[in-house]
Amino acid sequence: MKLRLAERMYRLGTETAFEVAARARALEAQGKPIIHLEIGEPDFDTPKHVRQAAAEALEQGYTHYSGSTGIPELREAIARYAGKNRGLHFDPANVVVTPGAKPIMFYTIMALLEPGDEVIYPNPGFPIYESMINFLGGVAVPLQLSEIRNFHVNIKELESKISSKTRLIIINSPHNPTGSALARSDLEAIARIAVEHDIMVLADEIYSEILYDGVEHHTILDFPGMMERTILLDGFSKTFAMTGWRMGYGIFPGEMIPHISRLVINSVSCTSTFSQRAAIDALEGPRGEVDKMLEAFASRRDIMYEGLNKIDGLRCNRPEGAFYAFPNITDTGMSSREYADYLLNEADVAVLPGTSFGEYGEGYIRISFANSEDNLRKAMERIEKANRKLPAITAEIGAK
């Protein structure tokens, strides 16, 4: 029997980070000392009080189903926490808790799009946006983020992408993979466009607490007309180092909640109940371990930014948020994929090609600095040594 898959399966993309990580681990098994800078995951353990809360919840019998949108206590805690951080008021009834934040993307696009509807999304950007749009029969319309603008949205270009079929705009700030953070003026302009054209917005703010140099987080929900047309995506993976817990949430306009609830019921039923109890402690417990982690990311950002810009063949904008650097590698004379493969095989450093984040990622690589300072410095030394072997770099140095 020949397996016949639905045509849509061939429109489904992936996250290259997991593929590169698998290749890197295979090389490690052969004895190579790989430094992992490919995965967007904090290298810190989940705070101790959160782990203890999960253990206590298990002992207390939180091992059964919860409501599809999450336990009331967590939804209330999320509404308080998200509202306090953004200076806004959220109704707990509008909160939906999910196993990780990706379902919020999927449910939003699934609920809003008919085949042929258009979604404007950042490119380079998180690859699952484009994957889900294509999978559900939508038309993915890339909005290029350029280095010359520090990877901020070009409002005129955004306006030029709007058509009668535009159903959704996706924004992500702080941004994966570039580390940029949208200014309040950017968001005000995007909000104006969304209201004028009656377009919904998915605001991915999963990195909202990871910012540097006094940069403040701004949300598009702060502007007139946006509460009723914005889905806020956030979660616990990044700020609280809870990637393996699979804990995310969305805050939706109220009229979407019954429909999103049915999508949850039809797909995952609910989110792990004892994990939800622990998530309350993450939001309301002591901040000491989280604050230390955020301080460490700031120090690592400086090491990465300064180190990359000292290496012949690379140049890098200063990340404003998240824990990624997105250096330009065009002077190496290699494509993004070729260069990422070169670093893995010749320098024992695992990074991602910029094209893992869309067509406009060509000429860049993404480096996660969610690793120790010692490893980051070693990685810079290895990359510098590897670059000096490249013909394009050798010729440039010789011409100086």
Side-chain angles (χ1 to χ4, degrees):
M1 173 183 172
K2 183 178 179 181
L3 177 65
R4 294 180 60 188
L5 294 174
E7 185 272 336
R8 62 180 171 272
M9 292 305 298
Y10 299 100
R11 301 197 301 265
L12 194 63
T14 188
E15 271 194 82
T16 311
F18 293 100
E19 297 175 357
V20 173
R23 289 172 54 202
R25 284 192 292 269
L27 290 172
E28 280 182 313
Q30 300 171 19
K32 299 199 78 174
I34 304 297
I35 296 177
H36 291 272
L37 305 181
E38 78 278 25
I39 293 290
E41 176 178 36
D43 57 320
F44 298 90
D45 291 331
T46 302
K48 186 176 181 179
H49 70 93
V50 179
R51 288 180 275 138
Q52 289 174 336
E56 291 170 7
L58 283 168
E59 290 300 318
Q60 292 167 4
Y62 287 95
T63 58
H64 302 279
Y65 291 130
S66 76
S68 60
T69 53
I71 62 175
E73 299 92 333
L74 177 57
R75 296 171 77 194
E76 291 167 5
I78 288 170
R80 285 193 299 271
Y81 186 88
K84 180 180 178 182
N85 283 357
R86 295 168 176 82
L88 298 169
H89 172 75
F90 294 114
D91 188 336
N94 292 8
V95 175
V96 177
V97 180
T98 50
K102 282 179 185 172
I104 301 301
M105 301 176 200
F106 209 165
Y107 298 153
T108 296
I109 296 169
M110 186 178 289
L112 295 178
L113 257 63
E114 298 284 2
D117 283 345
E118 297 176 358
V119 180
I120 299 173
Y121 70 100
N123 189 317
F126 187 53
I128 303 305
Y129 304 146
E130 182 178 0
S131 173
M132 290 181 182
I133 297 163
N134 291 335
F135 181 71
L136 294 170
V139 177
V141 180
L143 177 64
Q144 183 176 7
L145 305 183
S146 63
E147 180 183 358
I148 196 169
R149 297 180 61 86
N150 201 23
F151 302 107
H152 286 207
V153 170
N154 183 325
I155 299 301
K156 288 185 178 179
E157 184 176 352
L158 171 60
E159 288 185 296
S160 74
K161 301 283 185 179
I162 302 292
S163 80
S164 60
K165 293 185 177 181
T166 305
R167 192 76 177 89
L168 180 68
I169 297 171
I170 299 176
I171 57 176
N172 174 212
S173 179
H175 183 251
N176 175 16
T178 68
S180 64
L182 289 174
R184 182 176 173 81
S185 57
D186 294 329
L187 292 167
E188 184 176 23
I190 296 169
R192 173 184 57 77
I193 292 168
V195 171
E196 284 180 3
H197 297 274
D198 194 23
I199 298 169
M200 299 291 288
V201 173
L202 173 60
D204 182 347
E205 300 184 7
I206 193 75
Y207 296 98
S208 62
E209 295 190 58
I210 306 176
L211 290 159
Y212 311 112
D213 300 330
V215 173
E216 295 183 10
H217 177 67
H218 300 288
T219 181
I220 199 167
L221 284 152
D222 200 28
F223 297 96
M226 295 312 297
M227 275 288 190
E228 60 264 36
R229 67 179 67 256
T230 301
I231 297 91
L232 172 65
L233 178 154
D234 208 333
F236 297 80
S237 292
K238 312 303 181 180
T239 301
F240 299 99
M242 294 175 68
T243 52
W245 295 68
R246 309 316 303 132
M247 289 293 302
Y249 61 86
I251 302 180
F252 291 82
E255 61 184 309
M256 288 187 70
I257 293 298
H259 308 288
I260 300 301
S261 176
R262 288 201 301 274
L263 285 171
V264 176
I265 291 168
N266 276 270
S267 55
V268 297
S269 296
C270 64
T271 304
S272 163
T273 312
F274 66 88
S275 298
Q276 292 189 61
R277 295 298 309 184
I280 297 172
D281 275 68
L283 296 176
E284 299 186 341
R287 288 277 301 189
E289 291 184 65
V290 170
D291 290 340
K292 287 181 180 178
M293 180 178 72
L294 298 181
E295 289 173 7
F297 284 147
S299 178
R300 295 169 180 187
R301 188 283 306 259
D302 292 340
I303 291 170
M304 182 62 66
Y305 169 72
E306 293 166 8
L308 288 170
N309 282 300
K310 291 178 181 177
I311 298 175
D312 287 318
L314 304 183
R315 67 173 186 269
C316 184
N317 287 11
R318 184 185 293 271
E320 298 170 289
F323 38 69
Y324 307 111
F326 201 61
N328 185 312
I329 57 95
T330 53
D331 287 346
T332 66
M334 305 176 80
S335 71
S336 294
R337 186 163 297 278
E338 289 170 340
Y339 186 62
D341 287 344
Y342 177 74
L343 292 185
L344 180 60
N345 295 313
E346 299 298 324
D348 297 333
V349 176
V351 302
L352 296 184
T355 46
S356 294
F357 302 91
E359 60 182 306
Y360 296 122
E362 182 57 78
Y364 301 86
I365 57 171
R366 191 197 77 172
I367 297 178
S368 167
F369 47 85
N371 206 320
S372 71
E373 292 188 8
D374 284 347
N375 277 339
L376 295 180
R377 290 190 176 95
K378 287 178 184 176
M380 295 301 98
E381 292 171 1
R382 292 182 185 183
I383 293 172
E384 181 175 25
K385 183 177 180 181
N387 272 20
R388 288 186 174 275
K389 298 177 183 178
L390 294 173
I393 304 300
T394 302
E396 182 182 343
I397 294 172
K400 289 180 179 178

